Amino acid sequence: MSRFFVDPSDVTERYIYLSDRGDLHHMKKVLRLSIGDELDVSDGTAWEYHVRIEALDEDEAKLQILDKQKFAREPRLQVTLFQGIPKAGKMEGIIQKSVELGVHAIVPVFMERTVVVDKGNFGKKQDRWQKISDEAVKQCKRGIIPEVGSAVKFSGMLDVLPNYDLILFPYENEENRTIKDCLRQITCLPETVAIIIGPEGGFSDKEARMLDEADAERVSLGKTILRTETAGPAALAMTMYELEL
């Protein structure tokens, strides 16, 4: 069943009006939908709808609401992945898999050992990354589209960490405490979690100390050293398994 996203303002008591040109093109030219066909729509905030196409023209689709339900596939836990920016196309895979696993938001972070530099066109990368999040959501039928935020410096990330109930810091030099140990010691379930992953070269000693000072929980993800494109989705899956499922 196809899924589309609209703004809550596009929803009335009986109808939803979809006017995004890209969605209209996809609906008509790719999916070959027409009047009478049924599909799913999310308002991106709380509700998902099963609808039938009542009218379809160049500028708008009028969708009759057949059923309205609270999100069924959105996790209670809101996890933000702070990802040290990797080189090449690795970020695209990280975003896709993290969205499928239930991430709430992704923030790219420039760290001391980040190889990639901002040459003034980083906004285009962010647009591309957000599109990947959009597409992944439609495939796995989630209720919201996780936001890929603007890239921040390490110091900027530190500024927002106090907003999270739990901060997880998977670190290759941590040998004693696993992420399982950390999560199973929690007595009061958090609502918001930050997971911080370093770039290919890992965290510098200075960054590790700063995260310790920010009350981040040092954890190990296992006996092997994971690539940066593996570590984020792995930590997210482990966190969801322990705190959500």
Side-chain angles (χ1 to χ4, degrees):
M1 182 68 66
S2 304
R3 175 170 291 248
F4 294 85
F5 287 81
V6 297
D7 189 271
S9 62
D10 296 324
V11 182
T12 67
E13 185 176 351
R14 295 184 57 199
Y15 297 100
I16 297 174
Y17 297 89
L18 189 151
S19 57
D20 181 85
R21 290 189 175 277
D23 285 343
L24 289 171
H25 174 81
H26 188 70
M27 184 183 294
K28 292 184 289 186
K29 303 299 183 181
V30 179
L31 299 177
R32 303 291 183 181
L33 298 177
S34 59
I35 293 174
D37 288 334
E38 297 181 6
L39 54 120
D40 292 329
V41 175
S42 168
D43 68 4
T45 58
W47 298 98
E48 54 190 10
Y49 304 83
H50 186 64
V51 302
R52 180 187 296 119
I53 300 175
E54 184 168 299
L56 183 61
D57 56 37
E58 292 297 320
D59 299 318
E60 186 177 74
K62 182 180 180 181
L63 312 173
Q64 181 185 7
I65 297 173
L66 303 178
D67 186 53
K68 174 183 177 181
Q69 301 288 339
K70 282 283 190 179
F71 288 155
R73 293 182 174 87
E74 277 306 306
R76 173 198 60 83
L77 192 67
Q78 295 186 0
V79 180
T80 297
L81 174 63
F82 290 90
Q83 173 66 52
I85 300 170
K87 58 186 179 181
K90 296 178 182 178
M91 192 70 171
E92 297 184 3
I94 293 170
I95 293 169
Q96 183 185 68
K97 299 310 176 187
S98 297
V99 169
E100 291 177 13
L101 289 165
V103 77
H104 184 74
I106 300 171
V107 180
V109 184
F110 285 104
M111 301 184 181
E112 286 192 22
R113 295 177 179 172
T114 299
V115 176
V116 178
V117 296
D118 185 359
K119 297 181 179 178
N121 62 345
F122 216 82
K124 293 181 179 179
K125 288 188 177 182
Q126 183 187 354
D127 291 342
R128 169 62 181 162
W129 293 340
Q130 185 62 61
K131 185 176 180 181
I132 290 173
S133 177
D134 297 352
E135 293 171 349
V137 161
K138 293 175 181 178
Q139 181 273 325
C140 61
K141 296 189 176 181
R142 288 184 56 185
I144 69 164
I145 300 176
E147 179 183 2
V148 181
S150 300
V152 300
K153 296 181 179 179
F154 192 85
S155 59
M157 177 190 71
L158 291 176
D159 289 340
V160 301
L161 289 183
N163 297 330
Y164 293 88
D165 300 330
L166 174 66
I167 307 167
L168 296 175
F169 166 32
Y171 189 41
E172 61 268 24
N173 293 334
E174 176 58 42
E175 298 179 351
N176 299 316
R177 193 184 192 203
T178 66
I179 189 171
K180 179 174 69 174
D181 295 334
C182 174
L183 296 175
R184 292 190 174 179
Q185 289 170 359
I186 294 174
T187 56
C188 182
L189 288 178
E191 294 182 2
T192 58
V193 177
I195 297 176
I196 306 168
I197 303 295
E200 286 90 347
F203 297 98
S204 68
D205 292 340
K206 177 183 177 182
E207 288 171 336
R209 289 194 301 270
M210 294 173 76
L211 286 172
D212 288 338
E213 293 170 0
D215 294 326
E217 302 281 354
R218 281 197 189 201
V219 296
S220 166
L221 297 181
K223 296 181 179 179
T224 59
I225 304 298
L226 302 182
R227 294 177 181 269
T228 186
E229 64 266 33
T230 306
L236 176 60
M238 294 173 190
T239 301
M240 286 296 184
Y241 176 78
E242 289 293 340
L243 301 183
E244 179 71 26
L245 298 180

